[in-house]
Amino acid sequence: MTILEQDIMYLPGVGPHRKKILGDELGIQTYGDLLGYFPYKYVDRSRVYTVHELTGDMPYVQVVGHILSFEKFDMGPRKMRVVAHFSDGTGVMDLVWFNYGKTAMTKYKIGTDYVVFGKPTVFNNRIQVGHPDIEEASTVDTSAMGMQPYYNTTEKMKKMGLTSRSVERIVKTLLEKLTAPVNETLPDFIIQRLHLMGRDEALRTVHYPQKAKDLEKARVRLKFEELFFVQLNILRYASDQRRKYRGYVFSHVGDVFNVFYYHHLPFALTEAQKRVIREIRADMGSGRQMNRLLQGDVGSGKTLVALMSMLIAIDNGYQACIMAPTEILAEQHLHTIMQFLGDMPVRVALLTGIVKGKRRQEVHEGLLDGTIHILVGTHAVIEDTVQFARLGFVVVDEQHRFGVAQRAKLWNKSANPPHILVMTATPIPRTLAMTLYGDLDVSVIDELPPGRKPVVTQHFFDSRTTSLYAGIRKQIQQGRQVYIVFPLIEESEKIDLKNLEQGFEVLRQAFPEFRLSKVHGKMKPADKEAEMQRFVSGETQILVATTVIEVGVNVPNASVMVIMDAQRFGLSQLHQLRGRVGRGADQSYCLLVTPYNLSEDTRKRIDIMCDTNDGFRIAEADLKLRGPGDLEGTQQSGMAFDLKIADIARDGQLVQMARDEARIIIEEDPTCNSEKYHLLWNRLQELRKTNVNWGVIS
C-alpha cells in the first residue's frame, strides 16, 4: 500500500468521527482523496494593510494590531452584538460578532497583538469587519502566508465544525506528513516538452501557493493531467475499435437509393446534407465499422440524411433500424419516412410500447424473415425478443437520452457490429464533443433548407399578458397554430409556478373562440396521441403542453411557441422548444414569458435566445453558464470522470493540447504495450472503474 492509499482516519486531526463526515459528504477516504480535493478560491494574505488604508469596497484584507476595548449591545431576547475596538496605531476599526460574542470576549485579550483577517465594510463612518478570522501575531509569520485556500464544505460539515479552515489545517498536516515526493504520473519527456510543473510540486502549490504565478502553473499541470487521461482513454478505445471490429462493406449504391434520389426526393439537398452523405457513404464502404455523430440544428434535415443512408444498407441486402427516445418522436419518424418513400417497395414498421398482440408478432416475424427493411422504434427495439435477419445500419436519435448499456444491446442483434449513426439536434461545443464523443467521427449539417425564415424571439414579462394574448389571437386569426409550454404538470409546494392544469383553464377563458388541446407526460399514450393528432390535423388551434413536445413534433402550420416561466429552462432546452416552430414558409415567433425579477444568469440566457438562432453559439453560451454537468452519462468509457479541477467550458486550449498528446501516444503504441509508455498505461488502469469496453458503443 502506498502512502496515498492510507486511511484518512489515522491522519492527525481527523479520527473516526471526522472520517465518516468527510467520507459521507465529500467521498474522501484516503490521503490521495484529500490531496485531490482542491480549493475553489484563494485570498492573498501576503500583504498586511494598515487601518488607515482600509475602505469599504476592498476584498479580504489582514491587519496586525491589538484590541483596545469591548462593547456589548443588547439585540433582544438572548441576542447580543459584541464589538471589539481594534487599533494598529494608524487608526481604529471595529470587529463585530452577532453570534459567539461572549466566546470572543473570553478568547481574545485586550492589549495582545493579533492578526485580523476579513472583509472590511463601513458602518456609521467607521471601518468594521464582521466575524473576523483572528490569530495571535506571535504564532503567525505574515511574510510567509502567501495565498489562503478556501475549500467547499457542506452544511452538515459546518454543523460538525468542519469549516474551510478546518479542512485547510488537515491538508496542511497531510502535506507535512508527505516527506517523500508524490509519485509522478506523466513521463519526463511530456513534462519537458510542454514545460509542465512536476506533480509533487503542483499538488503542494495548489493547496498552499505563495504567488498567483505559481498557482497558475500548478493548476495548468493538474488540469492537463486530468484532461490528458480522459483523452487517452477515449482515443485508446477508438483505436481498439478500428483494429478489432470490421464493418459490413456496403460496396454499391443501387436501385432503392437511386429511385428515391431521382423520383421521390421532396426538395434539393443542401450542400451540407450532400457533404454528410458523402462522409457516411465513404465510411460504409471502407470495411471498418462506422461510428459517426451527426450534429444538426433543429430543422436542418438530419432525418432525410439518415433515411438515405439506410437506403444504401437496403441496397446491399441489409436491414436498418432507427431508435428514438419517445413514442411521439418514433411515430414522427415513421410518418416522415413513409411520406418521403411514398409508394416505394420499402417496408417500414413501428415497434413501441403501444404495438401489441398480433401487430407486434407480425413485426417480429417480418424482422426475422427480412421482409421488414426499416424498423422505427423506442427502446422496445433492444428487447431480447427482437431479432433481425441482417441488421447492418442503426440510427440512434437524440442519443443522450439512452443509457450506454441500452445502446450496447443493439450490437447483439447482428453477427458483426452494425454501422452506427448517432444524431442530435442539440449542438455540442467543440471542446465538449471532443470529450463526450471523442471516439466518434463528427459530421455537421450547418445550413438550413432554402426558404426557411429565422424564428423571431421576443421576451415578455408576465405582467404584459394583454399584449401577449393579442399577438397570439392575431396569428390564429391568420390561420396559424400556437404551442404554449409550461414547465410543470402539477402544483409544486416548494416552487411557485403557474402549472399546466391552472394555465390550461386560464387560457380556455382567455381564448373562448378557439379550441385547445392539452398534452403532458402523465397522460395515457393513447390519450396523448389523440390530443396530438387533433393539433396536427388543425382541429385545435392551441396546444398547451409540457416539454414532451421538445423533440420530434412537426407541425409546419404552427408559427408561435410561447414558453411560460422561461426562466426555469436551460438554454439548450429553450432552443429545442423554439425548433418546433419555423418549419413552414411563414414567419414564426418564440415568446419567452418570465416574471420581472430575474437573476443575472437568467437575463443572460434570455438575451442570448433573443439575439441568435445559431444552435452552436447557444450551446457554447450554455456550457459557460451552466458547466458541462455529468459529461459521460453512465460512465461511457468506464473511467471515473468527475473533473476535479479542469473546466471543459473554459479550458478549451488544454483539451486540445491533451488530445494532441494522447493522439501521438496512441499512434506510436496502439496496442498499449510499449515500455516507453508503461507509466501512462499503469496510471490509466488505476483510474478506470471497469473493464467493460463501453467506449466502442456510442
Side-chain angles (χ1 to χ4, degrees), residues 257 269 273-281 305 308:
F257 182 94
L269 297 175
Q273 286 174 311
K274 290 177 183 176
R275 182 185 69 243
V276 171
I277 290 171
R278 283 196 298 270
E279 289 167 352
I280 292 169
R281 172 80 185 89
V305 167
M308 293 175 74

Side-chain angles (χ1 to χ4, degrees), residues 488-556:
L488 286 186
I489 300 168
E490 296 169 344
E491 187 80 73
S492 166
E493 292 175 3
K494 294 183 180 178
I495 307 170
D496 182 24
L497 289 177
K498 298 182 184 72
N499 61 70
L500 180 137
E501 300 291 353
Q502 287 177 326
F504 185 74
E505 290 306 315
V506 169
L507 290 163
R508 269 213 313 201
Q509 292 169 28
F511 299 104
E513 71 271 41
F514 301 132
R515 292 183 298 278
L516 285 72
S517 289
K518 178 173 63 177
V519 176
H520 59 73
K522 291 192 175 179
M523 292 170 69
K524 290 179 181 175
D527 295 341
K528 196 191 304 178
E529 176 62 20
E531 287 293 292
M532 281 299 309
Q533 286 307 320
R534 289 176 67 211
F535 186 67
V536 171
S537 68
E539 185 185 334
T540 55
Q541 288 81 43
I542 299 174
L543 176 62
V544 182
T546 58
T547 54
V548 293
I549 58 134
E550 182 184 338
V551 291
V553 181
N554 184 19
V555 183

Side-chain angles (χ1 to χ4, degrees), residues 20 123 156 269 272 419 452 470 482 495 523 539 602 636:
K20 185 173 188 320
F123 181 71
K156 192 171 179 183
L269 297 175
H419 295 296
R452 286 278 175 92
V482 177
I495 307 170
M523 292 170 69
E539 185 185 334
T602 303
Q636 180 159 310

Side-chain angles (χ1 to χ4, degrees), residues 295 297-298 398 400-401 424-429 432 436 547 549-551 563 566 568-580 590 592 605-606 608-609 613-628:
Q295 291 192 72
D297 224 331
V298 280
E398 292 302 327
H400 58 282
R401 302 208 175 185
T424 179
T426 306
I428 302 158
L432 189 53
L436 265 174
T547 54
I549 58 134
E550 182 184 338
V551 291
I563 304 174
R568 300 289 177 189
F569 297 88
L571 262 175
S572 292
Q573 200 173 27
L574 289 172
H575 184 60
Q576 285 281 322
L577 287 167
R578 177 167 62 185
R580 296 304 104 215
C590 177
L592 309 176
R605 282 209 306 275
I606 300 297
I608 289 162
M609 283 295 296
N613 282 281
D614 184 334
F616 286 93
R617 269 187 64 195
I618 286 167
E620 290 282 0
D622 202 22
L623 185 62
K624 283 179 178 154
L625 284 172
R626 296 202 302 166

Side-chain angles (χ1 to χ4, degrees), residues 34 49 82 96 114 169 182 197 226 329 347 352 414-415 424 445 502 515 518 545 550 560 608 636 694:
L34 181 60
Y49 288 81
V82 171
V96 184
Y114 292 106
R169 290 190 182 109
V182 175
M197 188 181 270
E226 195 168 46
L329 185 51
R347 187 179 171 195
T352 67
S414 187
T424 179
I445 301 179
Q502 287 177 326
R515 292 183 298 278
K518 178 173 63 177
E550 182 184 338
V560 181
I608 289 162
Q636 180 159 310
W694 294 124

